[in-house]
Amino acid sequence: MPFRRPPKMELAVAYDAEHASSTQRIQHEFWPLDEIDPKNAKFPCCLVWTPLPVVSWLAPFIGHVGICREDGAILDFAGSNFVNVDDFSFGAVARYLQLDREQCCFPPTVAGHTCKFGYRHTEYGTSLTWDDALRSSMRYFENKFYNLFTCNCHSFVANCFNRLCYGGSMSWNMVNVAALILFKGRWVDSMSILRSFLPFVVVLCLGIVMVGWPFLIGLFSFSLLLLGWFLIGTYCAKNLIEC
């Protein structure tokens, strides 16, 4: 009997079945995380935020961010060639968002990507665990100069997210990291809300009383300029801002 080659449809189905089974085999079994413990500043696998002195008094949507290891220790890019470990700069955490490790890509081999980027992710730098990705970003930013406008704490977190390919994306930057914690973050407690907005309210009231409506216009212009800088620097001049 002559040999008959299987139809292309059957080959495609067989390949899809094999690919699906191999993908299932490389799924990680994650260790269970400890409970979030704000009193001891432990936020396992969380994105964390706290207000900045002076800057947040004028623009309360701007603050300092960090990302946490699986044991809850906070890492934040706090200055040139320096990543702070387990000692969050600028005060206690005010807002946090626990991240889902299932939304990350931890490929054991080049062919083991669960994300759609494959080679690009490998070239950027992949990791086998959450903490491994954070360590790689730490080593990278220990050779970076800090600049509030071009290379700051948001850049460090975005770099971690891109190494993790968090949410199936490698397009993390200052703006969408800030938006993530701003719109999805949870307040630690009522005092955190007060600590974040009271200085802004006080400055706003004093400015209106002492200067009048021009102060309000100036404050609005300042916020608009900051927002415009980061939007333009991120999406229009892509080599200007570090991520």
Side-chain angles (χ1 to χ4, degrees):
M1 179 180 291
F3 175 75
R4 184 178 66 89
R5 294 181 63 184
K8 289 184 178 180
M9 183 66 72
E10 292 180 10
L11 288 173
V13 171
Y15 172 80
D16 290 343
E18 183 181 353
H19 178 71
S21 64
S22 65
T23 300
Q24 289 173 357
R25 286 197 298 270
I26 63 173
Q27 290 297 318
H28 283 65
E29 293 183 4
F30 299 109
W31 290 99
L33 299 176
D34 293 333
E35 294 292 326
I36 291 172
D37 183 7
K39 289 185 179 179
N40 293 311
K42 297 297 181 184
F43 297 84
C45 292
C46 285
L47 174 63
V48 293
W49 180 93
T50 195
L52 281 168
V54 182
V55 178
S56 297
W57 301 353
L58 303 175
F61 57 88
I62 293 178
H64 184 70
V65 297
I67 190 169
C68 305
R69 297 187 314 216
E70 290 176 307
D71 64 359
I74 303 171
L75 309 179
D76 63 295
F77 184 46
S80 296
N81 310 315
F82 177 65
V83 176
N84 218 2
V85 180
D86 207 18
D87 184 20
F88 200 30
S89 306
F90 306 109
V93 172
R95 302 184 81 174
Y96 68 92
L97 174 66
Q98 190 159 45
L99 305 165
D100 183 6
R101 290 173 294 176
E102 295 285 351
Q103 295 190 43
C104 302
C105 176
F106 299 116
T109 64
V110 175
H113 285 266
T114 56
C115 67
K116 63 182 180 181
F117 297 101
Y119 176 76
R120 180 185 167 195
H121 190 199
T122 301
E123 189 178 37
Y124 191 91
T126 59
S127 303
L128 293 176
T129 67
W130 177 276
D131 286 353
D132 186 34
L134 269 57
R135 278 192 295 270
S136 296
S137 291
M138 278 184 65
R139 288 193 293 268
Y140 181 72
F141 273 81
E142 282 170 352
N143 298 292
K144 288 289 180 182
F145 287 101
Y146 185 95
N147 186 304
L148 180 64
F149 298 103
T150 60
C151 185
N152 57 34
C153 55
H154 293 75
S155 307
F156 171 67
V157 173
N159 187 275
C160 293
F161 277 10
N162 287 326
R163 288 182 192 277
L164 293 164
C165 200
Y166 187 73
S169 173
M170 287 192 64
S171 300
W172 290 99
N173 53 54
M174 286 188 190
V175 175
N176 51 25
V177 165
L180 182 64
I181 190 65
L182 180 64
F183 294 112
K184 293 190 175 181
R186 299 179 59 184
W187 294 103
V188 171
D189 51 31
S190 54
M191 281 301 297
S192 298
I193 301 175
L194 192 66
R195 182 163 59 90
S196 300
F197 289 105
L198 182 60
F200 171 73
V201 173
V202 170
V203 168
L204 182 65
C205 293
L206 287 175
I208 291 174
V209 168
M210 297 176 66
V211 180
W213 291 109
F215 176 82
L216 194 61
I217 296 170
L219 191 62
F220 177 76
S221 300
F222 171 76
S223 297
L224 199 62
L225 282 171
L226 276 180
L227 187 60
W229 166 264
F230 289 118
L231 286 172
I232 293 170
T234 299
Y235 296 107
C236 298
K238 295 189 176 181
N239 293 325
L240 183 62
I241 290 182
E242 178 77 35
C243 289

